[in-house]
Structure formats: C-alpha cells, structure tokens
Amino acid sequence: MKDMNILIVGVGGQGTLLASVILGKIALEEGYDVKLAEVHGMAQRGGSVVTHVRISENEVRSPLIEEGGADVILAFEELEAYRWIPYLKRDGVIFVNTQQIRPMPVILGTADYPEDVLGFLQENANKVTSLPALDIAAECGSAKAVNTVLLGAMAKELPFSKETWIRQIESTVKPKFIELNKQAFEKGYQA
Amino acid sequence: MEKKIMLGNEAFARGAFEAGVRVVSSYPGTPSTEITETAAGYEEMYVEWAPNEKVATEVAVGASIGGARALSCMKHVGLNVAADPFFTAAYTGVTGGLVLLVADDNGCHSSQNEQDSRYHGRGAGVPVLEPANAQECKDFMKFAYEMSEQYDTPVLIRSNTRVSHSRGIVTVEERQEHEVKPYKKNIPKYVAMPAMAKKLHIAQEKRLNQIQEDSKEYAINKMEINDKKIGIITSGICYQYVKEALPEASVLKMGIINPLPKALIEEFAAQVEEVYVIEEGNPFFEEQIRAMGLPAKGKDMFTIQGEYSANMIRKAFTGKEPEHAPAQEAAGRPPLMCAGCPHRGLFYILAKLKKTVLGDIGCYTLASLPPTSAMDACLCMGASITMAHGFEKARGKDAAKDTVAVLGDSTFFHSGITGLVNMKYNQSAGTVIILDNRITGMTGHQDNPSTGKNAKGEPAPAIDIAGIARACGVEHIVEVDPFDLPAVEKAVKEETAREELSVIITKRPCALIVKQPNIPHLVTDACKNCRKCMDIGCPAIEIAEGRPVIIAESCVGCGLCKDVCPFDAIKEEVK
Ligand SMILES: Cc1ncc(C[n+]2csc(CCOP(=O)(O)OP(=O)(O)O)c2C)c(N)n1
C-alpha cells in the first residue's frame, strides 16, 4: 500500500471520531505515517461532520483530503454521502449506512432530502457497499455501536489484518463496551 | 522514545509539560480548548479555567513574575479580551518563561470572525511562532520557553483550526523540571508607569531587533531549495498545502513569523526566480516582504477569505484540478440545540412573545436559526447585556419592555458582570436572562465558576449567579425552570413590563451532562396536525406523511413537546 485517504462523514453525535482514532492507531502500529483532521465545536451539535484520515508510506503533508482525493468514503448517513461525493476519487469506493437523518431545513420544508441516494452513489463510485448499520448495532445491543459496525464493513476491504483491527478496538473503547464492539465489528465484517 | 498519535492541541500541552511549565490558566474557546483540558491531566502542573482570557493571561503573567514557567491558551477573539495585559507584558518581559497560545479559526468553523491574530503579535511587539503539524506543536512550545527566558519576553504561539485539530505522530520525551526562580523585587521592570514604561519600550525594541538578527539561525525555519523557478514563502498549515500541491517548488517555511526572519527571506529570494507568498488571511507577510523591496506575488493570486487547500494552490500554479463528481445541491445541515436542551423552553417563549433578543455566544446562539429565529443580535461574549442597555438608551424605556438580553452562565462570568453593573449604575429598565445550564456547553463542557468543580475535576466553590446579581444592586431576580413554560412566560412578561432592572435565571443542567428520562414520547391519534410542536425546533420531531412524528432514537424524553401541544396528543411511550 502506498497511500490511503479515507473520508469519514456523518452527523454530529454519531461517533465518527472513534473510527478515525482507531484507524490512526492501526496506521501507527503498521509503521505508516498518518494524519487525521477533525471538526470540534459548533458542528458537533447535530451538524454535518467530517473526519479526514490520511495514511502513507511517505510523509503525509496536508491533514486534509480534498475534492477528488478520497480512496474511500465511510458515510454514516445517506445525505452526508451525497454531500461529500465530490471528494471521492473517480475510482474510489463508498461504504454507506442506509440511515437517513433529516436536517432541520428538510423538516421545516425549506429543502428536500435527495431521492435515491444509493442509485446516485452507484453512478459516481467504483463500488458501493450499503448496510443498515443502525439496525445491526441495535441487534448487538446498542445503537451507539454503529461506528464499529461500519468499521467492520470497511475493514474487509483495507489492507490491515482483522486481528490488528480488533486489538485497536480493544485498546480504544471503554472496557465494559469491548465485547459489544467486537461483536458489532464482526457483524459489519460479515455484512 | 515513545511515539504517539496526538491532536495538535494535545501536543501543545505535552510541550508545555516537557518544558517544565508549572502554571496554566486559560479560558476555553474552539479551537484551543483541548490544550488546557490535556494539561489538566498532568499532575505536575497547576491548571485552571479562568473566567475570561484577560484574567487567565494576568494569572500567567503573575506566575511568571513569581518565577515559574507559565502558559495561557485562548482562541483568536480571546486574545482581544487579553490584549490589555498582553501589550504591556510585552514591555515588562518575564522572570519565568511566559507563553500565550492563540488559535485562529480560518474558515470560521466555530467562531464569529476570521481574525488574523498575527497582527496582535506584531502590534504588541512580541515574537510569534507558528507550527505546521503536531510534532512541531510540541517542539515549538519548548523552544518558545527557551526564547522567552533568553530574550526576557512573552512569546506568542499562533495555531489555527487545522493545526490544533489535526492528529499526527509525535515523539514524546521526559519532563524537564524548571525550579521556581527566586523572587527579586524589581520595580523598574514590573511597574509599568510612564517614566518606567518609556525605558521598557526601548528595551523591548532592542530585544525584537536582536531576535530578528538571531532568527536566521533558528532551527524552526526551513529553507528547501528545489526547482528555482518558483520560490514560495509560507508558514504553518499553508506549508503543508504547498508541499502537497507543488512538491518540486523551493520553499522557505518560516517558524518565526514576527519579527520576520528578514535575512533568510533575502537569502531565499536571491536564489529563486519568482517569489510567491502563500498565507491564509490578510497579506501580513506579503506587505512586509514587499516593503523590503522584494517583488512578491500573493493576494493578487489568492483570496483573503477562508481556508486554502492543495487543490487551490495546484490550480493557481499549474491549472490542473483532480477529476471528481460535481458537487450536488444538498440540503444544509446546520447545527442545532440538542434534544432535551434546556435552552429550548426559554426561546420558545421569547419567540411566542415576539421579544427583541440581544443575544450572546454559546449553544443558545443557535436559537437565531429557524424555527425559533429568536435572536436579533450576537456580537461577542458579554455583549448581550451591554447592547440591550444601548438599545434602551437609543429607543427609550418602552422599547425596553419588548427587549431582553440573553446570555449563558459561562458568558455571564466571562464578561457579563461589568455590563450588569453598568445597567444598574446607569439606571436601565432592562431585563437580563441568564441561562444557567451548569456548564460551558458550546466548547464541549468545561467547568466554570458556577459549576462547583475546577479544571482538574475537583470540588470547588460554586459562585451563585443570583447572589452576584443582588450584589450588583439588582432588586428583581427570578429563578425559573426553563421547561416550566407557564412560569417562564409569566417571568418574562412581568419582568419586561417592569420599569426597573431585572434578572431572570433559568436553571436546568445541559442535557448532555445529566441523565435524561429517556422515555421516548409519541404523537397519538389525538393529533390535529396543528404543528405547534414543530415550533420548538427539536431535532427529534419531523414530518412524515404529512404529520409530526417523534423519532424514538433521537428523543430523550424531556417532554417539552408534550407541554406545547394544545390537544394533549403527545404521550410517553408505554413499553
Ligand atoms: C472571547 C471569547 N472567548 C471564548 C469564546 C468561545 N466560546 C463561545 S461560547 C462559549 C461559552 C458558552 O458557554 P455558556 O455561556 O455557559 O453557554 P452554553 O454554551 O453552555 O449554552 C465560549 C467559551 C468566544 N466566542 N469568545
């Protein structure tokens, strides 16, 4: 692997940061350079959030992935996948949680939620993997595990071993949630 | 030596720790907050949240006079609040090393402006350092303390959102203790009164000249001579964008950005064919470099607005852009008050009563968005009270009956108290509403003087807001639960009608810091589709198939929607 740019997008409060922290640790463990960029503050109150993960054999310069620069988009929500698609490389892949969270302008009727987001993604990505991560997480016992379900789905396609992922999940989440998250990861992996 | 992934802000804190800093006093503000939060985790350092940045900076100055290495961190606008001590500490210099850290917010991710704090450093006449990644955050912090003590000056470190909020690999080292220096009375140095200040000013000018002279040797500057056609002078995060976009170009990366390392700039310019200055914000470098007589290009190619990117720089130089899907018209997703937020009840009533709301900065600023749209102005911290006073003096006491000032607890302690004193002293008839949610919410839940805990999470005296209002001479003080809508409505009506100063304190903790009932509510068949529940702007209520529904996963069971429903159609879900 020369380098890998992963853009993680979602809605403030969905737990997108955990995914990037785990990816960062994996990259460090495997001897790559890595930079992560995230948004704190205002946007965390239910706004659109994005985390950039850049992993490389060489020195990573900018912490940001820009338009046309992402190898992978990991989307926690459909509208956010739709919004961030210009960031995907032409041959990039998307993992998307088939959940729709309507933003206030849609709720108030001043904007529309896009129709057939999955169809649109298909047309604009090399490969789209969609999964109902929220339902899967709920089956595992907590809606909060959406992030680990999605990580599991993505892990299958990234060049790091499953053991490495699990080890870093263990080293990152609170001890009492380890079992839940391992199960969520496994379900995502199998999905 | 151990390597860790660290947030830029964590690396700043680590740098302070390793540099032997003993006293840290700060006020939170995105994107600087995590520095102080991380510092609070190191036992060896005394770390506190001060009520505002002026207080924090003065505490750090005092610690420095007292012989310890000291730090104060703030966001860009915080440096305006701290400007007074900052500009004069630049004259008096230091005993223990003194560093102020300011984090700018190019792109306005979480701020009211895109202030370029480099001008403050130049205006005050202090050296300014600017790191470009997490490792440099740590290294520059340590270098700043060496500089501060060597040249007898405070040092300003300038960060921004992308440096502070990016993670990278950092090599951590041991802490080097710096004993507290013995205290020696030194009136000419530390008493800044006219006769002494004149001499201090001369000393300050001398040391800046010395720094400028020495700066060509500083290892924090990097000259990279590659292809000589394009020579780029830059600093901080822009350096990363430049390396990404133009790996072949020659680059002068300045680690010290005030005073500019002029000798290096001349040496660099002499080696390249064309000099370009790449800096976000105003032409701070460019104007100075042009004043040196060097023909440099900069803002004729690049904007003063927002953030830069590698794509933008690549396009400007090569005309090339990566291929990608076109941007879609996508519904915006503005941030919102959370489900269960205690502020919601108050703003529902203010919107209902059509009050003019002179607002302030905090989570409650979100009330200015639809559907409540219940805020008319927001300027800077503390300005709600003072603007309401000015509004009344312009429009008379009757206008005051339709007007309220609204601010949060942390904001009240930050800079609301002096405004309240002014209102009393200058006989205002206004109404001030203080939202006491027992925390500093917007910046991610820091303790403040009202919360009963300090920055290290230990118990601390809680300062009573009503007591302060009383001490300011306010005679009408009402405390209400913002979810008791009839009580809120009554209080707002009565207190605004009164031709005397009043304070209403809404008391209910932030929904994210206390356990919520978490019994989801649902809309029953009794619903007449009047949509009153939509007026509260709760993210857990949406319209599906033409009627309001409550999203069970989002609802925390606060029950506010139940209280506004005129048909009693909203009930707790029975499991
Ligand atoms: C001078 C200055 N310092 C810091 C900030 C960052 N800031 C924005 S809102 C806020 C605190 C808000 O707390 P509070 O008033 O208690 O309201 P809450 O968010 O809890 O509703 C802070 C520190 C700022 N905008 N300006």
Side-chain angles (χ1 to χ4, degrees), chain B residues 1 8 26 56 60 102 130 139 143 152 165 170 293 301 336 340 349 355 370 376 417 425 459 465-466 501 548 553 557:
Chain B
M1 274 181 295
S26 305
V102 64
E130 186 178 30
D139 297 345
F143 183 64
D152 186 13
H165 285 170
V170 177
M301 293 171 72
L336 297 166
I349 297 294
K355 294 293 175 195
D376 295 67
I417 299 172
Y425 172 50
I465 296 174
L501 176 61
E553 308 91 68

Side-chain angles (χ1 to χ4, degrees), chain A residues 11 24-25 28 32-38 40-42 45-48 54 61-64 66-68 77 79-80 82-83 85-86 88 90 101-108 111-112 120 124 134, chain B residues 3 5 7 30 34 110 162 165-169 237 239-241 243-244 309-311 322-336 338 363 366 370-371 441-442 534 537-538 541-542:
Chain A
V11 177
K25 287 186 176 176
L28 177 65
Y32 292 101
D33 191 23
V34 58
K35 277 189 184 158
L36 315 168
E38 53 205 47
H40 298 212
M42 194 93 169
R45 300 276 170 272
S48 163
R54 303 198 62 198
R61 299 293 192 166
S62 168
L64 301 183
E66 301 179 7
E67 285 98 331
E77 198 272 349
L79 171 61
E80 295 310 316
Y82 183 82
R83 182 189 320 283
I85 191 99
L88 194 66
R90 276 298 188 190
I101 302 176
R102 267 165 268 281
M104 199 42 79
V106 171
I107 294 179
L108 296 174
D112 293 319
F120 170 80
N124 285 288
L134 183 65
Chain B
K3 286 187 176 191
I5 296 203
L7 196 61
T30 316
E34 301 81 5
S110 341
R162 297 305 183 184
H165 285 170
S166 296
R167 289 174 203 267
I169 300 176
I237 194 67
Y239 167 74
Q240 308 292 5
Y241 302 148
K243 293 303 284 185
E244 191 88 31
S309 67
N311 278 355
E323 253 200 77
H324 59 81
Q328 300 302 307
E329 242 344 291
R333 193 184 295 280
L336 297 166
C338 308
C363 290
L366 297 169
M442 181 91 273
M534 301 300 294
C538 176
I541 311 180
E542 61 175 22

Side-chain angles (χ1 to χ4, degrees), chain B residues 1 38 47 49 53 153 176 206 211 219 242 247 299 340 441 444 476 479 555:
Chain B
M1 274 181 295
T38 307
V47 180
W49 287 124
E53 295 86 350
T153 176
Q176 295 243 282
K206 248 172 95 179
I211 290 170
V242 166
K299 295 297 168 186
H476 309 284
E479 294 188 326
C555 178

Side-chain angles (χ1 to χ4, degrees), chain B residues 27-28 53 77 343 361 363-364 381 408-411 437 439 441-442:
Chain B
Y27 182 72
E53 295 86 350
V77 287
H343 300 335
I361 306 196
C363 290
Y364 47 92
M381 290 190 76
D409 49 359
S410 184
T411 303
N437 63 349
I439 205 78
M442 181 91 273

Side-chain angles (χ1 to χ4, degrees), chain A residues 6-9 16-17 20 36-39 49-53 65:
Chain A
I6 303 168
L7 197 72
I8 304 172
V9 301
T16 50
L17 278 182
S20 63
L36 315 168
E38 53 205 47
V39 185
V49 291
V50 55
T51 304
H52 307 247
V53 180
I65 298 167

Side-chain angles (χ1 to χ4, degrees), chain B residues 181-212:
Chain B
K181 295 183 183 163
Y183 179 66
K184 274 205 297 284
K185 200 178 181 93
N186 191 346
I187 293 173
K189 176 170 165 63
Y190 281 120
V191 181
M193 56 195 270
M196 301 178 202
K198 283 181 196 163
K199 292 189 186 128
L200 291 171
H201 192 184
I202 295 167
Q204 181 217 27
E205 185 184 0
K206 248 172 95 179
R207 66 184 171 241
L208 265 189
N209 289 339
Q210 188 63 50
I211 290 170
Q212 174 139 87

